[in-house]
Amino acid sequence: MFAVLRGTVWRFVSYTPPLRYTKFDAAFAIPALQENLNACSNLKRMERIVVKSPADGSVVGEVAVTPPEAIEAMIARAHAAYLHWREVPMHQRVEPLRRLKRLILQERHAIAELVAREQGKPRIEAMIVELFPPLDVSAFLMYDGVRLLQPRRVRSKNPFFSDRRSTYYFHPYGVWAVIAPWNYPFTIPMTQLMALTLAGNAALLKPSPLTPLTGAKVVELFERAGFPEGLVQVVQGGAPQGSALLANPTVRGVIFTGSVPIGRTVAEQAAKTNKKVILELGGKDPALVLADADLQHAAQGIAWASMVNAGQTCASVERVYVEQRVYEPFLEALRAELAKIRLGHPLHAETDMGPVVARFQRERVQRHIEDACARGGRIVLGGRIRADLGELYHEPTLIADATDAMLGMQEETFGPLVMVQPVASAEEAVRKANASAFGLTASIWTRDPRKAQRLAPMLECGSVSVNSHIVAYGDSYGVWGGVKDSGVGRTHGEFGLYELVQPQYVSEVYTGKPELWWYPYSARVHRITDWLMAFLASPSLKMGGATARRLLPELRYLTRHFTPLKMTGGLLRYLR
Ligand code: NAD
């Protein structure tokens, strides 16, 4: 009886989902019919997820679903690992990170192939967009991250604390939930987990049920790199497993990357136990093509930024506002660039764009195209499903003469569709770009740096690229995150790193002097405070002289509380 009980408990505690890959067979090219598994509430009861490739329907592998009731024990293990890990000096935390980076590079082919098969982006694209960011983030963390997380002196100018020495310490939160989407199944959780662990946290990754194999691979790499046992674990499943993580009070923070409605639910659930919440949500990125732009360059860049990952990128260019004067030549240049995109199987070397991940994605693209056509939009290129390649292959599609009311100009399309609208001026382009519920990133295409620098801060979004797009994600010094419905908080770079720690302020004084404001409150303290404030309220030479004359006899009294000379600089700052 005891042995059975122990076996059951052990199964939950030591839960690691098995990975089973099947060899890719190019001849096995049936269209995949994957549904959005998130919507599938029976993930609570389901025991396994069988992953079928969106590229050809072949079985890529399967994972065991984590029973929600097993999650508490996993969190307890992560917490135990965290208690040990937070004491590990920073220079030692870097060692497994270094090994992790090497492992990623050594296994680049296997990772790229897994992502290509499981999610559908071409293998070369997977290598570039899924593996470069972790490489750059690990370098950022090893150099700047270590420096930024060191205790730091506070350069306070407050005159009343001039006898003190103050320091910031950066403490980890503890256990985090990392809830990830399917569109960048490797780079998103990998970079988030790298930063979380360097900062001393533990984390449980819950990948999307559409890409559980890549999620399992991410965690496997952490384990092989030598991070402490239990520090980074994987929870497989969907909403029930996500909710179980969010309900647990030991989980102190969540980085959620996904859609706006689920992001709201996540924030609501997290609020019940006061967790730190970072939300990386959807986008409807605009590109502003100004009349002086290099049109060929802009067309080439926007073709990539709108179709990378079959348009399933939070920061895809979905709306293009073009100054009227160059509207037609730009359209033609963009059409020509999009027409060159080679749609095909993600494992073929000559493929630029693979399938969309599932039928629900394809249907949304079709809905936006039909709506645009019904409202006077003009299909310049594409518009159809390439059934000859498979059910999930959708042509890169360009719609001209878009209007504000079209669904494709309002809702996130998240597919291979780009819509173009003429505008009268750069200012109108900015107004239209900002007239959106989203605000993730934007781009400006111009040859004039002064114009770009004037317009960029006017755009309501988390980052702006000039003559390129999505730069902030690739540059680990760039800050990543959105405004409005696109999210809350930041990841990446200095600001992203500080989101993962709790700054602590420590103030020390050893003069033994009682603070001026301690009991007993006296008429004298009242007078001194009042003179000082009266002078600061309307500073003038005359008032300054009067205050100095009044304070002079109090100097001896004041030195019982402060070192007046040290205060002078700080007091002068109050004069401004
Ligand atoms: P999604 O919101 O459907 O799912 C995201 C994750 O949340 C999945 O792991 C899912 O299983 C989990 N989940 C679902 N219901 C949950 C619940 N009730 N509680 C807890 N977790 C739950 O998103 P998706 O379809 O996987 O990803 C696409 C979306 O993600 C797009 O909107 C895209 O713009 C956005 N995205 C944003 C960024 C960014 O950096 N801002 C990056 C990538 C993707």
Side-chain angles (χ1 to χ4, degrees):
M1 175 66 186
F2 176 69
V4 172
L5 196 66
R6 197 181 51 188
T8 312
V9 171
W10 179 243
R11 251 203 356 264
F12 282 152
V13 171
S14 62
Y15 182 82
T16 38
L19 277 180
R20 292 227 298 269
Y21 299 100
T22 52
K23 200 169 175 309
F24 168 64
D25 178 0
F28 185 59
I30 54 161
L33 286 174
Q34 251 177 321
E35 297 302 335
N36 186 355
L37 281 168
N38 284 331
C40 195
S41 61
N42 64 10
L43 270 170
K44 213 176 199 162
R45 295 185 303 276
M46 259 171 71
E47 288 189 351
R48 309 194 77 72
I49 300 171
V50 177
V51 179
K52 290 188 179 167
S53 174
D56 52 30
S58 60
V59 174
V60 187
E62 59 180 77
V63 295
V65 171
T66 309
E69 58 276 16
I71 290 173
E72 192 175 338
M74 294 173 78
I75 294 170
R77 261 206 308 154
H79 190 253
Y82 151 72
L83 291 178
H84 153 73
W85 182 242
R86 70 175 179 184
E87 305 301 335
V88 172
M90 193 64 77
H91 69 274
Q92 285 176 23
R93 284 189 211 157
V94 162
E95 286 312 312
L97 177 62
R98 195 195 310 280
R99 289 192 292 272
L100 176 63
K101 180 201 72 182
R102 295 253 160 84
L103 270 177
I104 293 171
L105 295 176
Q106 283 157 10
E107 302 211 356
R108 61 196 180 279
H109 295 299
I111 298 167
E113 178 165 337
L114 174 60
V115 172
R117 296 187 62 205
E118 187 175 44
Q119 187 266 329
K121 61 170 65 73
R123 196 165 22 184
I124 168 67
E125 190 171 280
M127 211 175 252
I128 296 168
V129 301
E130 300 270 4
L131 300 186
F132 257 117
L135 173 63
D136 198 56
V137 164
S138 60
F140 166 80
L141 291 172
M142 282 190 252
Y143 290 96
D144 298 85
V146 166
R147 178 180 54 79
L148 289 164
L149 294 172
Q150 293 303 323
R152 177 149 59 78
R153 275 291 289 279
V154 182
R155 305 268 162 226
S156 170
K157 305 285 187 299
N158 186 319
F160 300 99
F161 299 112
S162 52
D163 284 330
R164 300 180 155 267
R165 171 202 162 93
S166 308
T167 314
Y168 286 131
Y169 292 85
F170 300 102
H171 298 298
Y173 278 83
V175 181
W176 286 66
V178 171
I179 301 182
W182 49 262
N183 65 333
Y184 287 85
F186 190 81
T187 190
I188 289 177
M190 177 54 85
T191 52
Q192 294 170 348
L193 289 167
M194 280 177 163
L196 277 170
T197 50
L198 186 84
N201 298 286
L204 288 102
L205 165 64
K206 200 210 71 60
S208 164
L210 290 176
T211 50
L213 297 168
T214 309
K217 182 77 187 169
V218 166
V219 172
E220 177 210 305
L221 290 169
F222 269 87
E223 288 165 358
R224 285 170 51 203
F227 282 86
E229 206 261 316
L231 192 78
V232 178
Q233 299 171 57
V234 65
V235 167
Q236 296 287 12
Q241 287 73 12
S243 295
L245 284 168
L246 294 168
N248 192 299
T250 306
V251 173
R252 297 310 315 136
V254 54
I255 306 184
F256 171 83
T257 312
S259 60
V260 177
I262 308 276
R264 283 200 192 102
T265 320
V266 164
E268 276 169 23
Q269 294 177 80
K272 292 188 182 134
T273 44
N274 288 327
K275 296 186 201 319
K276 165 82 186 230
V277 176
I278 299 172
L279 301 176
E280 299 284 10
L281 307 179
K284 188 76 208 164
D285 275 14
L288 284 58
V289 180
L290 308 189
D292 71 336
D294 175 341
L295 295 186
Q296 183 50 40
H297 179 76
Q300 204 183 346
I302 291 171
W304 179 82
S306 55
M307 297 300 153
V308 59
N309 200 23
Q312 303 165 118
T313 302
C314 49
S316 281
V317 170
E318 298 197 351
R319 305 176 282 156
V320 187
Y321 300 106
V322 188
E323 277 198 85
Q324 185 73 60
R325 199 143 54 85
V326 294
Y327 182 63
E328 287 301 337
F330 171 76
L331 258 187
E332 176 44 33
L334 183 58
R335 190 205 60 75
E337 287 301 322
L338 292 172
K340 291 182 204 160
I341 293 175
R342 295 162 303 178
L343 193 58
H345 196 287
L347 291 185
H348 292 165
E350 287 82 33
T351 293
D352 296 316
M353 195 174 108
V356 294
V357 78
R359 200 161 59 181
F360 67 90
Q361 279 292 112
R362 193 201 69 192
E363 283 165 1
R364 186 158 44 167
V365 177
Q366 281 289 303
R367 191 161 56 84
H368 284 189
I369 293 173
E370 280 161 22
D371 174 81
C373 291
R375 293 172 194 261
R378 173 163 55 102
I379 297 184
V380 178
L381 185 80
R384 290 168 309 161
I385 294 151
R386 283 284 304 274
D388 55 318
L389 296 173
E391 198 187 346
L392 298 176
Y393 291 82
H394 198 292
E395 290 176 335
T397 301
L398 169 60
I399 291 189
D401 307 342
T403 56
D404 300 342
M406 291 176 181
L407 283 183
M409 295 296 273
Q410 297 286 333
E411 294 176 4
E412 185 176 35
T413 307
F414 218 50
L417 168 64
V418 60
M419 318 245 295
V420 187
Q421 183 178 8
V423 288
S425 64
E427 285 68 24
E428 189 187 0
V430 170
R431 267 199 309 281
K432 285 188 180 275
N434 289 343
S436 168
F438 296 98
L440 189 52
T441 96
S443 55
I444 302 172
W445 302 78
T446 174
R447 286 189 169 99
D448 183 347
R450 273 178 308 181
K451 215 185 273 182
Q453 287 155 21
R454 181 174 64 81
L455 297 175
M458 291 161 66
L459 287 163
E460 293 167 6
C461 58
S463 65
V464 178
S465 310
V466 177
N467 295 321
S468 192
H469 199 88
I470 333 183
V471 170
Y473 196 84
D475 180 1
S476 55
Y477 289 80
V479 73
W480 188 254
V483 304
K484 300 191 268 187
D485 273 358
S486 288
V488 174
R490 296 289 181 265
T491 53
H492 280 229
E494 181 173 347
F495 298 107
L497 191 59
Y498 283 140
E499 297 258 6
L500 310 180
V501 286
Q502 312 186 75
Q504 181 192 41
Y505 167 81
V506 174
S507 180
E508 303 163 68
V509 66
Y510 302 101
T511 57
K513 296 178 178 178
E515 308 281 18
L516 183 68
W517 48 89
W518 286 0
Y519 297 131
Y521 295 143
S522 67
R524 187 179 211 174
V525 172
H526 187 177
R527 268 198 323 271
I528 293 172
T529 312
D530 192 46
W531 290 336
L532 191 66
M533 286 190 175
F535 167 53
L536 294 173
S538 41
S540 66
L541 263 181
K542 197 170 150 210
M543 276 290 280
T547 312
R549 266 198 311 282
R550 284 161 160 175
L551 284 179
L552 219 55
E554 306 291 357
L555 213 54
R556 224 186 123 115
Y557 172 76
L558 286 172
T559 52
R560 272 191 243 148
H561 299 278
F562 311 104
T563 311
L565 212 60
K566 281 196 190 167
M567 297 176 73
T568 321
L571 281 172
L572 288 174
R573 293 173 75 246
Y574 286 167
L575 281 171
R576 189 168 170 190

